[in-house]
Amino acid sequence: LGVAQIISSLANPVLAPELRVTMSGFCISLPPHFHDTLSNVVTKINNGHPPQYQVRLSIHNGRTFVGKAVVVEDIEYVSGAGMLEVNHDIKVDNLPGDQLVVVF
């Protein structure tokens, strides 16, 4: 039998290359009636203006958050579909080229 590669926490860290990722067609599904409930409250507080959404994207590599969070504005609510939609590209800089990185 062969020996598999052993990964040790004592091994010297290896720098991963940094990447720039561009996401397009970004959508977020909302829970049922979320927008309607929020609209009723916000419209009363905000002089008749509907809610404006803002999304914060954070990058995680399985151990810690890496890089800077990206705040996305100019998000549209798609009525009938119950989702938020971003109609422009989202650029995420300084993303480690690590296979364990997750964007959420």
Side-chain angles (χ1 to χ4, degrees):
L1 294 174
V3 177
Q5 180 182 5
I6 298 174
I7 299 174
S8 168
S9 59
L10 300 175
N12 289 332
V14 177
L15 293 176
E18 289 188 347
L19 305 173
R20 171 184 276 172
V21 175
T22 302
M23 296 186 289
S24 57
F26 189 79
C27 296
I28 300 172
S29 295
L30 297 176
H33 309 294
F34 179 85
H35 177 76
D36 297 332
T37 304
L38 186 64
S39 282
N40 290 336
V41 173
V42 171
T43 319
K44 290 177 185 175
I45 297 171
N46 206 12
N47 296 326
H49 297 293
Q52 294 180 336
Y53 292 96
Q54 189 179 68
V55 174
R56 180 178 184 249
L57 294 175
S58 299
I59 297 93
H60 200 275
N61 71 355
R63 291 182 299 258
T64 186
F65 287 96
V66 294
K68 293 182 180 179
V70 177
V71 177
V72 181
E73 297 176 344
D74 299 328
I75 300 172
E76 294 182 24
Y77 175 72
V78 181
S79 62
M83 64 176 22
L84 301 177
E85 182 177 60
V86 178
N87 291 323
H88 55 84
D89 290 344
I90 303 169
K91 293 182 181 5
V92 181
D93 292 327
N94 305 327
L95 185 65
D98 184 345
Q99 63 183 350
L100 301 177
V101 169
V102 175
V103 178
F104 62 95

